[in-house]
Amino acid sequence: MDLHHPDPPAASLEERIYSMVLSDAAHDAVMSPLCWTVGNTIPMYLSHGESDSARVVHSNRRMAALLARQPGPSLLHEEPSLDHFATHTCLRDPKAAWYQRLAGLLHAHRRLDPSAV
């Protein structure tokens, strides 16, 4: 959620963001979802694994706090006993609890705003 890192360690995930994803290091803020929350009206569902890195957990919690101040509904969930990659691979199953929580958020938003797609 927050791509900015003041001094990414060599060969780290954070360093790879700067060397492989961003064309200019100065774009780390503008490319961070955290910086695009103001005025959000779209339902947002954030999740992270209980065993995720402290950086991932912190950025998800920060974004959830910012989204909570916006008009759109949002939800943050910590996936018990999962790490960053297991939270993604469990999405192979459409019956996964993640999908059920997302569907609940979307249905709640539709009830609040019947014109919502």
Side-chain angles (χ1 to χ4, degrees):
M1 302 302 176
D2 184 4
L3 299 180
H4 174 71
H5 195 291
D7 189 22
S12 67
L13 175 61
E14 289 82 5
E15 188 277 329
R16 283 183 277 169
I17 295 294
Y18 286 94
S19 65
M20 299 173 73
V21 176
L22 300 172
S23 60
D24 182 334
H27 295 162
D28 60 358
V30 74
M31 296 301 288
S32 296
L34 191 72
C35 295
W36 290 87
T37 59
V38 174
N40 181 64
T41 58
I42 298 168
M44 298 290 282
Y45 174 50
L46 308 173
S47 66
H48 62 82
E50 178 182 26
S51 301
D52 253 321
S53 71
R55 183 171 170 79
V56 168
V57 171
H58 177 73
S59 68
N60 272 273
R61 289 179 180 166
R62 253 180 93 198
M63 186 154 172
L66 291 168
L67 286 170
R69 294 187 164 114
Q70 307 310 315
S74 62
L75 176 67
L76 172 64
H77 182 80
E78 181 177 271
E79 300 291 343
S81 71
L82 296 181
D83 63 21
H84 192 68
F85 300 101
T87 59
H88 293 64
T89 57
C90 76
L91 298 179
R92 293 179 292 204
D93 178 7
K95 294 178 183 169
W98 186 95
Y99 284 112
Q100 303 310 310
R101 287 188 294 272
L102 178 60
L105 178 65
L106 293 172
H107 289 302
H109 179 65
R110 243 186 229 139
R111 282 192 300 274
L112 294 174
D113 181 2
S115 67
V117 177

